[in-house]
Amino acid sequence: MVPESRRSPRSSALPSTFCAVVAERRLLSNLAYCLLDSVDAAEVAVQETYTRWYTMPDDEQERIDRPLTWLVGTLVRICVDRRESSSRQAGGRAVDPAAHPDPAGPAPRRFRAWREVPKL
């Protein structure tokens, strides 16, 4: 084992490209989760987005100036399509999460107005 003083300060640092890819995937996962309210559905949507990107012909990929913008736009369209298809399967109406009682009980009066704001 090398003593602490002899180690180079950046020997265990990850390459910046890897960090950028991890940050990009985290952003897409968080966005998909916010849109779909499910970790599993969000992961499927992110995988489908990356599948569309990596199966795209090289000449089409080169024409895209900002890949992250394309990935986010594609992910949002996938999530919206999934929400619309799930609402059609549920009998034509979307399931309202506000209709389910909160297990924590009623909100304090000062937060009630915020809870009653329609969710987008």
Side-chain angles (χ1 to χ4, degrees):
M1 182 166 186
V2 178
E4 193 68 33
S5 61
R6 292 187 184 178
R7 285 186 186 170
S8 65
R10 305 242 337 137
S11 65
S12 64
L14 294 173
S16 62
T17 304
F18 178 76
C19 292
V21 170
V22 169
E24 174 185 275
R25 185 171 179 86
R26 184 179 303 135
L27 175 113
L28 294 174
S29 296
N30 289 340
L31 178 61
Y33 176 74
C34 289
L35 293 171
L36 297 173
D37 295 329
S38 167
V39 174
D40 295 331
E43 182 61 30
V44 169
V46 170
Q47 287 181 9
E48 185 175 340
T49 302
Y50 277 120
T51 300
R52 289 184 187 184
W53 174 256
Y54 287 112
T55 58
M56 183 187 303
D58 291 339
D59 59 330
E60 286 183 36
Q61 273 188 8
E62 290 172 5
R63 281 187 263 151
I64 296 172
D65 293 330
R66 297 181 180 178
L68 181 60
T69 304
W70 185 92
L71 288 168
V72 168
T74 302
L75 178 75
V76 168
R77 282 191 299 279
I78 289 169
C79 291
V80 168
D81 289 345
R82 287 184 176 275
R83 288 200 61 117
E84 287 177 354
S85 68
S86 69
S87 69
R88 275 187 245 122
Q89 291 172 359
R93 59 188 179 105
V95 178
D96 183 14
H100 301 292
D102 187 3
R109 177 176 245 176
R110 63 184 174 169
F111 297 121
R112 193 166 293 143
W114 289 102
R115 266 209 189 156
E116 293 170 359
V117 172
K119 292 185 171 99
L120 301 178

